[in-house]
């Protein structure tokens, strides 16, 4: 059956769907000897697809893997780093990080900690990082000072960043510390670059630390009160995987990321 080439590459664990589209735009993917155009379809049973000259074999597609990682501070949310800094894949055993196409879904800043999904399901990665769709993410954020209610309300309603308002945000005060700092719970439904840090600084209360506790219903601390330790990972539960896969129904088969969306 014909499928879009970017979808095939993500299904085989070659790259996330977004990364696959970038590879196609860069001219790195060929179909039967010709450079693939974005949106072009192929039948993996009869067509010859190569990436950087290497033939892709659909029969070699790895089993789909879904993990929740507790990212520590100082670790990069990427697969490789040219300066050899530690990455999230370095926290996995070699049996997982090699030959499976596992990659982080989105990212947390180097100085941020907490819940991060890892998978080789490119279609799922495409959905979770697509700017048109939103899964709430929950953070615990220490900020400088004691934000006034008017400031918190401004944050909740939306703040202008780069000429575009942020979406409405849930912001709740959890604790005020005598050392002039406040612990906030922040629930976002979008993921613009360093959004919480930028908004907090703009409102006059810079972030001291940022920790993501949950992605949708997927939590670092599950209902049985077991907390995933920093640097550790666990497979997602069946119910968690089911939740994520139901979200894919919201993404139509014909959707394609544009060049403009890559620049966001």
């Amino acid at each position: 059956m014909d499928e879009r080439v970017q979808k095939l590459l993500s299904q085989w664990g070659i790259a996330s769907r977004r990364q696959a589209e970038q590879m196609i735009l860069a001219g790195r993917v060929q179909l039967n000897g010709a450079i693939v155009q974005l949106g072009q379809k192929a039948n993996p049973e009869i067509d010859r697809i190569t990436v950087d000259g290497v033939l892709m074999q659909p029969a070699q597609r790895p089993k789909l893997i879904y993990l929740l990682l507790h990212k520590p501070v100082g670790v990069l949310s990427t697969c490789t780093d040219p300066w050899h800094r530690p990455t999230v894949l370095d926290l996995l055993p070699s049996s997982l990080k090699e030959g499976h196409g596992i990659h982080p879904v989105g990212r947390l800043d180097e100085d941020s900690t907490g819940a991060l999904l890892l998978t080789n399901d490119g279609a799922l990665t495409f959905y979770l990082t697509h700017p048109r769709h939103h899964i709430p993410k929950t953070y615990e954020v220490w900020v400088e000072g004691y934000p006034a209610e008017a400031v918190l309300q401004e944050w909740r309603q939306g703040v202008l960043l780069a000429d575009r308002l942020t979406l409405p945000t849930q912001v709740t005060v959890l604790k005020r510390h005598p050392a002039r700092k406040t612990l906030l719970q922040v629930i976002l439904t979008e993921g613009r670059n360093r959004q919480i840090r930028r908004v907090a600084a703009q409102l006059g209360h810079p972030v001291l630390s940022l920790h993501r506790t949950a992605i949708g219903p997927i939590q670092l601390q599950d209902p049985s009160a077991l907390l995933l330790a920093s640097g550790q990972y666990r497979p997602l539960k069946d119910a968690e995987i089911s939740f994520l896969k139901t979200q894919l129904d919201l993404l139509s088969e014909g959707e394609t990321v544009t060049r403009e969306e890559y620049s966001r």
Side-chain angles (χ1 to χ4, degrees):
M1 183 177 68
D2 286 355
E3 296 277 10
R4 294 178 186 274
V5 174
Q6 60 264 33
K7 182 176 180 181
L8 292 173
L9 296 184
S10 70
Q11 288 176 339
W12 299 345
I14 304 303
S16 73
R17 187 163 166 182
R18 184 182 296 270
Q19 292 168 335
E21 295 205 14
Q22 290 175 319
M23 294 164 70
I24 290 171
L25 289 172
R28 296 171 55 192
V29 184
Q30 291 192 339
L31 173 62
N32 300 325
I35 293 177
V36 170
Q37 302 301 311
L38 199 59
Q40 191 170 352
K41 293 185 176 183
N43 185 336
E45 300 300 324
I46 59 176
D47 289 316
R48 179 182 176 88
I49 302 171
T50 60
V51 177
D52 297 330
V54 178
L55 180 65
M56 298 295 98
Q57 302 282 2
Q60 298 173 357
R61 175 184 173 184
K63 178 182 177 181
L64 292 177
I65 297 171
Y66 306 91
L67 306 173
L68 177 66
L69 174 75
H70 186 162
K71 190 190 92 65
V73 69
V75 175
L76 302 181
S77 300
T78 187
C79 295
T80 59
D81 179 68
W83 293 279
H84 306 293
R85 292 172 294 180
T87 73
V88 291
L89 291 194
D90 293 328
L91 300 173
L92 303 181
S94 57
S95 60
L96 276 178
K97 70 180 180 181
E98 297 172 2
H100 291 280
I102 292 177
H103 52 266
V105 180
R107 62 182 61 243
L108 281 171
D109 296 333
E110 181 178 0
D111 295 330
S112 300
T113 62
L116 184 69
L117 295 178
L118 304 177
T119 187
N120 57 358
D121 186 337
L124 179 63
T125 300
F126 176 80
Y127 167 77
L128 294 178
T129 57
H130 197 291
R132 299 177 193 171
H133 301 284
H134 314 283
I135 288 182
K137 298 180 179 66
T138 305
Y139 301 82
E140 291 184 354
V141 186
W142 281 102
V143 299
E144 291 184 7
Y146 305 131
E149 181 59 28
V151 171
L152 298 176
Q153 190 59 26
E154 182 180 356
W155 192 340
R156 294 175 185 127
Q157 292 176 345
V159 176
L160 195 63
L161 285 183
D163 300 321
R164 186 160 55 97
L165 278 175
T166 59
L167 293 180
T169 303
Q170 296 182 48
V171 184
T172 306
V173 175
L174 298 180
K175 183 187 303 183
R176 289 186 171 89
H177 194 278
R180 291 200 57 78
K181 62 181 182 178
T182 302
L183 179 61
L184 303 174
Q185 181 189 77
V186 179
I187 302 179
L188 293 182
T189 55
E190 62 179 336
R192 293 161 66 176
N193 184 38
R194 296 177 65 85
Q195 179 172 333
I196 293 177
R197 294 180 184 276
R198 292 163 63 198
V199 169
Q202 188 167 309
L203 295 177
H205 298 275
V207 167
L208 299 172
S209 66
L210 188 151
H211 178 71
R212 185 156 68 196
T213 59
I215 301 168
I218 303 170
Q219 304 181 39
L220 287 179
Q221 184 157 8
D222 64 28
S224 63
L226 294 176
L227 177 65
L228 189 63
S230 178
Q232 299 299 303
Y233 69 92
R234 65 167 175 83
L236 292 191
K237 301 172 183 177
D238 290 344
E240 294 170 332
I241 296 173
S242 295
F243 165 79
L244 294 175
K245 289 191 172 182
T246 59
Q247 309 307 303
L248 294 175
D249 295 337
L250 302 176
L251 189 62
S252 65
E253 181 65 22
E255 246 176 353
T256 301
V257 172
T258 65
R259 293 175 185 268
E260 289 76 14
E261 287 173 326
Y262 280 125
S263 65
R264 289 186 181 179

